[in-house]
Amino acid sequence: MALTPAELRDFLPEPLIADLRSLAPGVRTIDTDGSFATALAAAGPEVLVAGWSTPPLPEILPPSLRYVCYLAGSVKNLVQRRHLERGLLVTNWGGSISRTVAEGALWHILSGLRRGTHWTLTMHQDRRWKGAGEATHSLFG
């Protein structure tokens, strides 16, 4: 696994990490700082579990590496097309946080429609309320 301690807690909290370790006792974490390519080559994994902090995979992969499980969204900054063309299997957990992302998007939409930042500053810094020409909007018009 090429994950930071924070990513491990976020993506694989207990009991998930314990389940993973029971299924694959050889699971270990490699350093994502410094020379990632050297650490990856030294580990020689068959499977790599990667996250946001995992650096891009080096051009030359360990011959044993067959599968990359990316725990976040897009793999475009992690894997090169050449890796895929050479048969590396790559999957992601893109939908794992989809509800949270959707909730955040909706919050931003509503905040923008209601001019949330504008009104926070207007009420708390300028000590005033809505004046003429200061409109807000809603999802219904």
Side-chain angles (χ1 to χ4, degrees):
M1 293 186 292
L3 302 171
T4 64
E7 288 172 330
L8 263 174
R9 284 189 306 273
D10 288 345
F11 288 115
L12 297 168
E14 290 296 346
L16 292 178
I17 191 66
D19 291 345
L20 178 62
R21 291 186 192 284
S22 71
L23 292 170
V27 168
R28 65 178 194 208
T29 303
I30 60 172
D31 192 8
T32 57
D33 295 333
S35 179
F36 173 67
T38 302
L40 184 63
E46 287 183 55
V47 175
L48 176 67
V49 178
W52 289 308
S53 67
T54 305
L57 295 179
E59 174 71 28
I60 299 171
L61 297 174
S64 58
L65 186 61
R66 299 182 304 139
Y67 171 57
V68 175
C69 177
Y70 190 59
L71 301 181
S74 173
V75 298
K76 68 181 179 183
N77 293 323
L78 179 71
V79 179
Q80 300 171 26
R81 179 172 293 279
R82 291 182 288 271
H83 296 138
L84 301 173
E85 290 168 350
R86 292 178 193 148
L88 182 65
L89 177 62
V90 179
T91 61
N92 70 359
W93 285 10
S96 67
I97 59 170
S98 60
R99 287 182 178 179
T100 305
V101 171
E103 180 181 60
L106 182 58
W107 178 83
H108 281 288
I109 290 167
L110 291 172
S111 181
L113 287 171
R114 295 297 190 163
R115 300 180 68 199
T117 303
H118 169 78
W119 293 116
T120 298
L121 294 173
T122 298
M123 289 188 292
H124 295 284
Q125 286 183 351
D126 301 341
R127 305 265 191 242
R128 64 182 184 85
W129 184 237
K130 190 174 181 178
E134 293 181 313
T136 61
H137 303 280
S138 76
L139 292 175
F140 305 103

